[in-house]
Short mmCIF file of all heavy atoms in Angstrom, two decimals:
data_model
loop_
_atom_site.label_atom_id
_atom_site.label_comp_id
_atom_site.label_asym_id
_atom_site.label_seq_id
_atom_site.Cartn_x
_atom_site.Cartn_y
_atom_site.Cartn_z
N THR U 1 24.37 189.67 -57.09
CA THR U 1 23.41 189.89 -58.18
C THR U 1 23.85 190.97 -59.19
O THR U 1 23.34 191.02 -60.27
CB THR U 1 22.04 190.25 -57.64
OG1 THR U 1 22.08 191.47 -56.91
CG2 THR U 1 21.50 189.13 -56.75
N GLY U 2 24.77 191.81 -58.79
CA GLY U 2 25.28 192.80 -59.72
C GLY U 2 26.63 193.30 -59.27
O GLY U 2 27.03 194.42 -59.61
N MET U 3 27.34 192.48 -58.50
CA MET U 3 28.59 192.86 -57.88
C MET U 3 29.54 191.68 -57.80
O MET U 3 29.13 190.54 -57.75
CB MET U 3 28.32 193.39 -56.43
CG MET U 3 27.50 194.67 -56.38
SD MET U 3 26.48 194.69 -54.90
CE MET U 3 25.12 193.67 -55.35
N ASN U 4 30.84 191.99 -57.77
CA ASN U 4 31.82 190.99 -57.51
C ASN U 4 31.99 190.80 -56.01
O ASN U 4 31.57 191.68 -55.22
CB ASN U 4 33.16 191.37 -58.15
CG ASN U 4 33.11 191.38 -59.65
OD1 ASN U 4 33.16 192.45 -60.28
ND2 ASN U 4 33.02 190.21 -60.29
N ILE U 5 32.64 189.72 -55.60
CA ILE U 5 32.77 189.43 -54.19
C ILE U 5 34.27 189.21 -53.83
O ILE U 5 35.02 188.66 -54.64
CB ILE U 5 31.92 188.21 -53.78
CG1 ILE U 5 31.97 187.97 -52.27
CG2 ILE U 5 32.38 186.94 -54.54
CD1 ILE U 5 30.92 186.96 -51.77
N PHE U 6 34.64 189.67 -52.65
CA PHE U 6 35.99 189.49 -52.13
C PHE U 6 35.90 188.95 -50.69
O PHE U 6 34.94 189.31 -49.97
CB PHE U 6 36.75 190.82 -52.02
CG PHE U 6 37.24 191.34 -53.37
CD1 PHE U 6 36.41 192.07 -54.17
CD2 PHE U 6 38.56 191.14 -53.77
CE1 PHE U 6 36.89 192.58 -55.43
CE2 PHE U 6 39.04 191.64 -54.96
CZ PHE U 6 38.18 192.34 -55.79
N ILE U 7 36.83 188.12 -50.32
CA ILE U 7 36.98 187.77 -48.92
C ILE U 7 38.40 188.05 -48.49
O ILE U 7 39.33 188.15 -49.31
CB ILE U 7 36.65 186.24 -48.69
CG1 ILE U 7 37.70 185.34 -49.30
CG2 ILE U 7 35.27 185.92 -49.20
CD1 ILE U 7 37.54 183.88 -48.94
N ILE U 8 38.58 188.23 -47.17
CA ILE U 8 39.92 188.41 -46.60
C ILE U 8 40.14 187.27 -45.60
O ILE U 8 39.29 187.04 -44.72
CB ILE U 8 40.07 189.77 -45.87
CG1 ILE U 8 40.03 190.92 -46.89
CG2 ILE U 8 41.35 189.84 -45.10
CD1 ILE U 8 38.72 191.57 -47.10
N ARG U 9 41.25 186.57 -45.81
CA ARG U 9 41.66 185.53 -44.87
C ARG U 9 43.13 185.66 -44.58
O ARG U 9 43.94 185.71 -45.50
CB ARG U 9 41.35 184.13 -45.44
CG ARG U 9 39.83 183.84 -45.63
CD ARG U 9 39.64 182.36 -45.86
NE ARG U 9 39.94 181.55 -44.70
CZ ARG U 9 40.08 180.22 -44.72
NH1 ARG U 9 39.94 179.54 -45.87
NH2 ARG U 9 40.34 179.56 -43.59
N ASN U 10 43.46 185.74 -43.31
CA ASN U 10 44.84 185.80 -42.89
C ASN U 10 45.64 186.92 -43.58
O ASN U 10 46.77 186.73 -43.99
CB ASN U 10 45.53 184.46 -43.11
CG ASN U 10 44.84 183.32 -42.37
OD1 ASN U 10 44.44 183.50 -41.20
ND2 ASN U 10 44.66 182.18 -43.03
N GLY U 11 44.97 188.06 -43.78
CA GLY U 11 45.66 189.21 -44.37
C GLY U 11 45.70 189.27 -45.86
O GLY U 11 46.19 190.24 -46.41
N SER U 12 45.21 188.22 -46.54
CA SER U 12 45.22 188.20 -48.03
C SER U 12 43.83 188.50 -48.56
O SER U 12 42.79 188.05 -47.99
CB SER U 12 45.65 186.83 -48.52
OG SER U 12 47.01 186.62 -48.22
N LEU U 13 43.79 189.24 -49.65
CA LEU U 13 42.55 189.57 -50.36
C LEU U 13 42.31 188.51 -51.45
O LEU U 13 43.17 188.33 -52.32
CB LEU U 13 42.66 190.96 -50.96
CG LEU U 13 41.41 191.54 -51.65
CD1 LEU U 13 40.32 191.80 -50.64
CD2 LEU U 13 41.77 192.79 -52.40
N ILE U 14 41.16 187.85 -51.38
CA ILE U 14 40.91 186.72 -52.27
C ILE U 14 39.62 186.97 -53.03
O ILE U 14 38.62 187.42 -52.45
CB ILE U 14 40.78 185.40 -51.47
CG1 ILE U 14 42.04 185.21 -50.59
CG2 ILE U 14 40.60 184.22 -52.39
CD1 ILE U 14 41.89 184.12 -49.52
N THR U 15 39.63 186.65 -54.32
CA THR U 15 38.41 186.83 -55.14
C THR U 15 38.41 185.79 -56.26
O THR U 15 39.48 185.34 -56.68
CB THR U 15 38.37 188.27 -55.75
OG1 THR U 15 37.09 188.52 -56.29
CG2 THR U 15 39.41 188.46 -56.79
N PRO U 16 37.21 185.34 -56.70
CA PRO U 16 37.18 184.39 -57.81
C PRO U 16 37.80 184.97 -59.06
O PRO U 16 37.68 186.18 -59.33
CB PRO U 16 35.68 184.16 -58.00
CG PRO U 16 35.03 184.53 -56.73
CD PRO U 16 35.88 185.64 -56.17
N GLY U 17 38.50 184.12 -59.83
CA GLY U 17 39.10 184.55 -61.08
C GLY U 17 38.09 184.51 -62.23
O GLY U 17 36.95 184.05 -62.07
N PHE U 18 38.50 184.97 -63.38
CA PHE U 18 37.60 185.06 -64.54
C PHE U 18 37.12 183.68 -64.96
O PHE U 18 36.04 183.56 -65.53
CB PHE U 18 38.30 185.72 -65.71
CG PHE U 18 38.58 187.20 -65.50
CD1 PHE U 18 39.76 187.76 -65.97
CD2 PHE U 18 37.69 187.99 -64.79
CE1 PHE U 18 40.02 189.11 -65.77
CE2 PHE U 18 37.95 189.34 -64.59
CZ PHE U 18 39.10 189.89 -65.10
N GLU U 19 37.88 182.65 -64.71
CA GLU U 19 37.48 181.28 -65.09
C GLU U 19 36.29 180.79 -64.27
O GLU U 19 35.72 179.73 -64.58
CB GLU U 19 38.68 180.33 -64.98
CG GLU U 19 38.98 179.85 -63.57
CD GLU U 19 39.63 180.88 -62.68
OE1 GLU U 19 40.02 181.94 -63.20
OE2 GLU U 19 39.80 180.62 -61.48
N GLN U 20 35.88 181.53 -63.27
CA GLN U 20 34.75 181.14 -62.43
C GLN U 20 33.43 181.73 -62.92
O GLN U 20 32.45 181.79 -62.18
CB GLN U 20 35.01 181.56 -60.98
CG GLN U 20 36.24 180.87 -60.35
CD GLN U 20 36.09 179.38 -60.33
OE1 GLN U 20 35.12 178.82 -59.83
NE2 GLN U 20 37.09 178.70 -60.90
N ASP U 21 33.39 182.20 -64.15
CA ASP U 21 32.17 182.72 -64.80
C ASP U 21 31.69 184.02 -64.15
O ASP U 21 30.48 184.29 -64.11
CB ASP U 21 31.06 181.67 -64.81
CG ASP U 21 31.32 180.52 -65.74
OD1 ASP U 21 32.03 180.76 -66.76
OD2 ASP U 21 30.87 179.40 -65.51
N ILE U 22 32.62 184.82 -63.70
CA ILE U 22 32.26 186.13 -63.11
C ILE U 22 32.22 187.18 -64.21
O ILE U 22 32.76 187.02 -65.32
CB ILE U 22 33.25 186.57 -62.04
CG1 ILE U 22 34.64 186.83 -62.64
CG2 ILE U 22 33.34 185.51 -60.93
CD1 ILE U 22 35.60 187.51 -61.72
N LEU U 23 31.57 188.32 -63.91
CA LEU U 23 31.66 189.48 -64.76
C LEU U 23 33.03 190.12 -64.59
O LEU U 23 33.54 190.20 -63.45
CB LEU U 23 30.57 190.49 -64.43
CG LEU U 23 30.60 191.80 -65.23
CD1 LEU U 23 30.20 191.54 -66.68
CD2 LEU U 23 29.70 192.84 -64.60
N GLU U 24 33.60 190.62 -65.66
CA GLU U 24 34.88 191.35 -65.58
C GLU U 24 34.62 192.75 -65.04
O GLU U 24 34.50 193.73 -65.76
CB GLU U 24 35.54 191.40 -66.95
CG GLU U 24 35.97 190.04 -67.45
CD GLU U 24 36.72 190.12 -68.77
OE1 GLU U 24 36.74 191.20 -69.41
OE2 GLU U 24 37.27 189.08 -69.19
N GLY U 25 34.50 192.84 -63.71
CA GLY U 25 34.10 194.08 -63.07
C GLY U 25 35.20 195.12 -63.11
O GLY U 25 36.37 194.84 -62.81
N ILE U 26 34.81 196.37 -63.37
CA ILE U 26 35.78 197.45 -63.40
C ILE U 26 36.12 197.89 -61.96
O ILE U 26 37.30 198.17 -61.66
CB ILE U 26 35.24 198.64 -64.22
CG1 ILE U 26 35.16 198.20 -65.69
CG2 ILE U 26 36.10 199.89 -64.09
CD1 ILE U 26 34.42 199.18 -66.58
N THR U 27 35.16 197.89 -61.06
CA THR U 27 35.46 198.19 -59.67
C THR U 27 36.33 197.05 -59.10
O THR U 27 37.24 197.31 -58.30
CB THR U 27 34.17 198.34 -58.85
OG1 THR U 27 33.34 199.33 -59.49
CG2 THR U 27 34.49 198.81 -57.43
N ARG U 28 36.06 195.81 -59.48
CA ARG U 28 36.87 194.69 -59.04
C ARG U 28 38.34 194.93 -59.43
O ARG U 28 39.23 194.75 -58.63
CB ARG U 28 36.34 193.39 -59.69
CG ARG U 28 37.22 192.15 -59.45
CD ARG U 28 36.70 191.00 -60.32
NE ARG U 28 37.49 189.79 -60.11
CZ ARG U 28 38.62 189.50 -60.74
NH1 ARG U 28 39.11 190.39 -61.64
NH2 ARG U 28 39.24 188.36 -60.51
N ASP U 29 38.55 195.30 -60.69
CA ASP U 29 39.89 195.56 -61.18
C ASP U 29 40.54 196.68 -60.40
O ASP U 29 41.72 196.64 -60.04
CB ASP U 29 39.83 195.90 -62.67
CG ASP U 29 41.19 196.35 -63.23
OD1 ASP U 29 42.03 195.48 -63.45
OD2 ASP U 29 41.37 197.58 -63.40
N SER U 30 39.73 197.71 -60.08
CA SER U 30 40.25 198.87 -59.30
C SER U 30 40.68 198.42 -57.94
O SER U 30 41.73 198.82 -57.43
CB SER U 30 39.18 199.95 -59.22
OG SER U 30 38.75 200.36 -60.48
N VAL U 31 39.85 197.60 -57.25
CA VAL U 31 40.15 197.14 -55.91
C VAL U 31 41.44 196.31 -55.90
O VAL U 31 42.32 196.48 -55.03
CB VAL U 31 38.99 196.32 -55.34
CG1 VAL U 31 39.38 195.56 -54.08
CG2 VAL U 31 37.79 197.23 -55.04
N LEU U 32 41.59 195.42 -56.88
CA LEU U 32 42.82 194.61 -56.96
C LEU U 32 44.06 195.47 -57.14
O LEU U 32 45.10 195.23 -56.51
CB LEU U 32 42.70 193.60 -58.09
CG LEU U 32 41.76 192.38 -57.84
CD1 LEU U 32 41.56 191.58 -59.12
CD2 LEU U 32 42.34 191.49 -56.73
N THR U 33 43.95 196.47 -58.01
CA THR U 33 45.09 197.35 -58.25
C THR U 33 45.45 198.15 -57.00
O THR U 33 46.61 198.27 -56.62
CB THR U 33 44.78 198.34 -59.41
OG1 THR U 33 44.50 197.57 -60.58
CG2 THR U 33 45.94 199.26 -59.68
N ILE U 34 44.43 198.71 -56.33
CA ILE U 34 44.66 199.46 -55.11
C ILE U 34 45.30 198.60 -54.04
O ILE U 34 46.26 198.99 -53.37
CB ILE U 34 43.32 200.06 -54.61
CG1 ILE U 34 42.80 201.13 -55.57
CG2 ILE U 34 43.51 200.67 -53.19
CD1 ILE U 34 41.36 201.53 -55.30
N ALA U 35 44.77 197.38 -53.88
CA ALA U 35 45.29 196.49 -52.85
C ALA U 35 46.78 196.16 -53.10
O ALA U 35 47.60 196.19 -52.19
CB ALA U 35 44.47 195.18 -52.83
N LYS U 36 47.10 195.86 -54.33
CA LYS U 36 48.50 195.57 -54.68
C LYS U 36 49.40 196.76 -54.38
O LYS U 36 50.52 196.61 -53.87
CB LYS U 36 48.62 195.16 -56.14
CG LYS U 36 48.00 193.80 -56.45
CD LYS U 36 47.94 193.55 -57.95
CE LYS U 36 47.21 192.24 -58.24
NZ LYS U 36 47.01 192.00 -59.71
N ASN U 37 48.92 197.95 -54.70
CA ASN U 37 49.72 199.17 -54.44
C ASN U 37 49.85 199.47 -52.95
O ASN U 37 50.83 200.11 -52.54
CB ASN U 37 49.10 200.35 -55.15
CG ASN U 37 49.22 200.30 -56.67
OD1 ASN U 37 50.04 199.53 -57.19
ND2 ASN U 37 48.42 201.05 -57.38
N LEU U 38 48.92 198.97 -52.15
CA LEU U 38 48.99 199.15 -50.70
C LEU U 38 49.79 198.02 -50.04
O LEU U 38 49.95 198.04 -48.82
CB LEU U 38 47.56 199.19 -50.12
CG LEU U 38 46.72 200.44 -50.39
CD1 LEU U 38 45.30 200.25 -49.89
CD2 LEU U 38 47.35 201.68 -49.77
N GLY U 39 50.25 197.07 -50.80
CA GLY U 39 51.03 195.99 -50.26
C GLY U 39 50.19 194.87 -49.65
O GLY U 39 50.71 194.02 -48.93
N ILE U 40 48.90 194.81 -50.00
CA ILE U 40 48.02 193.77 -49.52
C ILE U 40 48.14 192.58 -50.48
O ILE U 40 47.90 192.75 -51.69
CB ILE U 40 46.57 194.23 -49.44
CG1 ILE U 40 46.45 195.43 -48.48
CG2 ILE U 40 45.61 193.10 -49.02
CD1 ILE U 40 45.10 196.15 -48.56
N PRO U 41 48.46 191.40 -50.01
CA PRO U 41 48.54 190.23 -50.93
C PRO U 41 47.19 189.98 -51.58
O PRO U 41 46.14 189.97 -50.89
CB PRO U 41 48.95 189.08 -50.00
CG PRO U 41 49.54 189.75 -48.79
CD PRO U 41 48.83 191.05 -48.63
N THR U 42 47.18 189.72 -52.88
CA THR U 42 45.94 189.46 -53.63
C THR U 42 46.03 188.08 -54.28
O THR U 42 47.08 187.72 -54.82
CB THR U 42 45.68 190.53 -54.69
OG1 THR U 42 46.72 190.52 -55.64
CG2 THR U 42 45.57 191.90 -54.07
#
């Protein structure tokens, strides 16, 4: 209702893309950047 959503499957971090009518979340962007820097597949 006011947040983006992520799931983890088999070690990968998965989230809907912008084409799925989501809000361009700033925390979402932060999480994706942090995950990539930690070596977590996104």
Side-chain angles (χ1 to χ4, degrees):
T1 62
M3 295 148 280
N4 294 110
I5 187 168
F6 285 84
I7 68 172
I8 292 95
R9 295 193 67 193
N10 302 318
S12 293
L13 184 68
I14 307 167
T15 192
F18 293 143
E19 79 285 352
Q20 298 300 307
D21 289 331
I22 66 169
L23 177 71
E24 295 185 348
I26 293 171
T27 307
R28 173 189 181 275
D29 174 76
S30 303
V31 168
L32 285 171
T33 301
I34 293 167
K36 291 172 185 175
N37 291 342
L38 289 173
I40 300 168
T42 62

